[in-house]
Amino acid sequence: GIDNLLTLIEKFASRHLVDMHLLIPYNDSGVLSFLYDNATVGDLEYREKGIEVRVLLPTEMVARYKIYALGDD
């Protein structure tokens, strides 16, 4: 039933989405707009050095955003 479907969706998502913690410099803030359009944006805070954001990214997008990754995961 529904519980089985939800379990399958959760398993699929866990294999195809990666949770990342990013710090995007203000001069690259266009990246945030792209993330809103193409990923799941969670917590967001404006810091002195840039925009700190938690996102769920499709696995094929991870390499593109590793340059912004914070090392606390």
Side-chain angles (χ1 to χ4, degrees), residues 35-69:
L35 291 172
Y36 270 110
D37 290 342
N38 297 283
T40 301
V41 176
D43 296 335
L44 182 133
E45 292 189 42
Y46 292 89
R47 303 285 188 181
E48 184 177 326
K49 294 185 178 185
I51 305 161
E52 190 173 329
V53 62
R54 176 78 63 179
V55 295
L56 279 177
L57 288 171
T59 53
E60 64 270 11
M61 293 174 58
V62 170
R64 179 178 184 178
Y65 294 98
K66 277 197 183 269
I67 61 168
Y68 302 112

Side-chain angles (χ1 to χ4, degrees), residues 13-42:
S14 69
R15 281 183 270 170
H16 299 283
L17 295 175
V18 177
D19 181 29
M20 292 187 76
H21 191 194
L22 308 176
L23 181 64
I24 301 168
Y26 288 111
N27 61 342
D28 287 345
S29 60
V31 168
L32 187 59
S33 178
F34 183 85
L35 291 172
Y36 270 110
D37 290 342
N38 297 283
T40 301
V41 176

